[in-house]
Amino acid sequence: MEGYKYKKRSSSTIVDIVLCIAFLLSISYLGISLYSYKYPYEYNYYYKKIIENIDIEKTTIKKNDYYREYDYLYVQNVEYLYARKRQDLINIMYTFINSGQETVEFYCSKEYSNCTNDAKALVYDKNNNIISRIYEFSHPFNDYKSMSCGVDKDTNRVIYHVNKKYSKKKIKAINNEVDRLYNELYDPNLDTISNIRNIHDYLVNNIEYDKEKSDFVEKKTDIDSSFDSTSAYGALIEHKAICSGYTDAMYLFLDRMGVRSMRITSKSHIWNAVYLDGEWLHLDLTWDDGRYTSGRTFLSHKYFLIDTPTLLSLDSKNHIFDRDIYKELS
């Protein structure tokens, strides 16, 4: 019995098969493309799971050493990076900034039709001050210099990206100085307020207000300061700062002490708010520095751990803050 013989395919037959496969692939690709264009939510498998509430898993976001489990009346950390309304976008942005990551990607509900517009407005709308307030609830080392937003309207996908304010090199130098000063200034035998006063006094006495930087920022003068005085690096390493530098530096020591705090911004100023014994109090190192308020060298405690009515009785212009955002101090 003769064995089976395989007929060798002609080159023309092989070409026909290749062309047939190519045709089928092109039809499939066209079909998928048209389907994804018409039904973008169904085409995105991950998004389909979300909108149908099928087997939704927690969206984990990596957290750095400066993430804090602090929630506020205005913003809260969230486990699910999924936006059904505008407040969800704000909470996601806070969670993202608080985590210290540089990029985050998430989706919005199919029913939240204005999601991508709202997401971009939070970053780019010049009349919106929310983005410039959210970072104040997080650790200074998770601050950003700039933020960008990318969206995919077909699937309601949002991507936020930030450029960090503090470099790793500067964070290391700042942490070394905070460690050194903390060991020198903190006395475990004293109460919390006394220790805060010790640190407050040291910072006020050892930081020089950088008027050149202030004039460049506020008055748009031509000459900028050479110091990094908007940050804790300028305050602690270079000993030159404006209000944001004082505030960041004080935050680091409060955080080291385990004292919860946040930063508050008005239209022209920034200072600390401190949570002690169930009450939020104001702490403004810049305005306790006589070199800022009067040009003379002296230390004041006028703005040391005071309540809101007292603060506004002392200054009703530069310390006017948005009570809808800093609700704890209302």
Side-chain angles (χ1 to χ4, degrees):
M1 182 177 179
E2 295 183 2
Y4 291 103
K5 294 183 179 179
Y6 295 94
K7 185 178 180 181
K8 186 177 181 181
R9 296 184 185 275
S10 66
S11 60
S12 60
T13 303
I14 294 174
V15 171
D16 292 341
I17 293 174
V18 171
L19 290 174
C20 181
I21 293 173
F23 176 75
L24 292 174
L25 288 174
S26 64
I27 291 296
S28 299
Y29 177 78
L30 179 61
I32 291 173
S33 298
L34 291 173
Y35 184 76
S36 64
Y37 175 77
K38 187 175 182 180
Y39 306 103
Y41 302 105
E42 287 79 358
Y43 177 63
N44 188 303
Y45 174 71
Y46 176 72
Y47 190 73
K48 184 176 186 293
K49 287 176 64 177
I50 290 179
I51 62 173
E52 294 181 358
N53 293 318
I54 300 173
D55 192 27
I56 296 178
E57 300 176 355
K58 288 183 180 179
T59 305
T60 57
I61 183 169
K62 187 177 179 181
K63 303 166 185 175
N64 70 2
D65 293 339
Y66 307 108
Y67 173 86
R68 298 293 178 262
E69 294 281 355
Y70 296 150
D71 289 337
Y72 299 88
L73 295 175
Y74 183 71
V75 287
Q76 302 85 43
N77 290 290
V78 291
E79 294 180 327
Y80 295 90
L81 303 188
Y82 175 56
R84 295 179 175 86
K85 56 185 182 298
R86 187 169 178 270
Q87 183 59 44
D88 292 339
L89 281 177
I90 294 172
N91 288 340
I92 289 171
M93 184 177 287
Y94 168 59
T95 304
F96 163 51
I97 294 172
N98 189 29
S99 73
Q101 302 307 304
E102 295 186 0
T103 303
V104 68
E105 176 181 342
F106 61 93
Y107 290 89
C108 300
S109 163
K110 181 179 180 180
E111 287 69 34
Y112 185 7
S113 58
N114 206 45
C115 170
T116 53
N117 291 331
D118 286 349
K120 290 191 293 184
L122 285 176
V123 176
Y124 300 122
D125 187 349
K126 293 182 180 179
N127 296 319
N128 162 51
N129 68 344
I130 293 176
I131 184 61
S132 61
R133 298 294 176 265
I134 292 177
Y135 80 88
E136 293 158 6
F137 295 96
S138 63
H139 193 287
F141 289 163
N142 287 338
D143 280 359
Y144 59 89
K145 290 189 297 185
S146 61
M147 175 180 284
S148 61
C149 175
V151 301
D152 179 354
K153 292 187 176 181
D154 287 338
T155 58
N156 264 6
R157 182 179 64 171
V158 179
I159 300 175
Y160 284 132
H161 177 77
V162 295
N163 295 313
K164 305 301 285 291
K165 175 180 178 180
Y166 286 89
S167 67
K168 292 181 180 179
K169 182 178 180 180
K170 288 188 175 181
I171 288 175
K172 183 178 180 180
I174 293 168
N175 279 336
N176 288 339
E177 184 65 3
V178 170
D179 289 344
R180 184 186 72 81
L181 291 173
Y182 188 82
N183 291 331
E184 176 184 323
L185 299 171
Y186 181 80
D187 186 345
N189 297 315
L190 296 178
D191 59 30
T192 301
I193 292 179
S194 297
N195 275 304
I196 294 175
R197 183 188 296 267
N198 286 342
I199 295 167
H200 164 279
D201 292 357
Y202 172 86
L203 293 177
V204 171
N205 285 330
N206 288 274
I207 299 172
E208 181 181 352
Y209 188 78
D210 190 349
K211 191 174 185 306
E212 189 173 60
K213 172 67 77 174
S214 176
D215 289 344
F216 179 80
V217 173
E218 297 178 8
K219 299 179 181 180
K220 311 300 180 184
T221 56
D222 295 332
I223 302 175
D224 188 8
S225 168
S226 61
F227 298 100
D228 190 6
S229 46
T230 62
S231 75
Y233 187 87
L236 296 173
I237 308 300
E238 300 173 327
H239 301 286
K240 292 278 268 187
I242 59 174
C243 54
S244 55
Y246 285 84
T247 304
D248 280 11
M250 189 69 226
Y251 183 106
L252 298 178
F253 285 97
L254 292 168
D255 186 65
R256 180 67 182 270
M257 292 173 61
V259 175
R260 184 175 178 180
S261 71
M262 61 180 168
R263 294 162 289 171
I264 305 180
T265 296
S266 67
K267 290 183 178 180
S268 60
H269 190 42
I270 183 169
W271 64 97
N272 300 95
V274 184
Y275 189 64
L276 291 172
D277 299 324
E279 182 181 13
W280 282 95
L281 300 171
H282 300 270
L283 176 61
D284 190 342
L285 276 69
T286 310
W287 280 56
D288 275 345
D289 187 344
R291 285 169 292 191
Y292 169 74
T293 54
S294 67
R296 294 182 291 112
T297 302
F298 69 88
L299 170 66
S300 169
H301 294 95
K302 186 182 290 188
Y303 292 87
F304 181 80
L305 299 178
I306 57 177
D307 60 22
T308 296
T310 303
L311 174 78
L312 298 181
S313 70
L314 294 171
D315 174 59
S316 59
K317 180 181 178 181
N318 295 284
H319 287 91
I320 299 296
F321 59 93
D322 191 333
R323 298 193 180 200
D324 290 331
I325 294 179
Y326 310 106
K327 298 180 180 182
E328 286 82 354
L329 289 137
S330 297

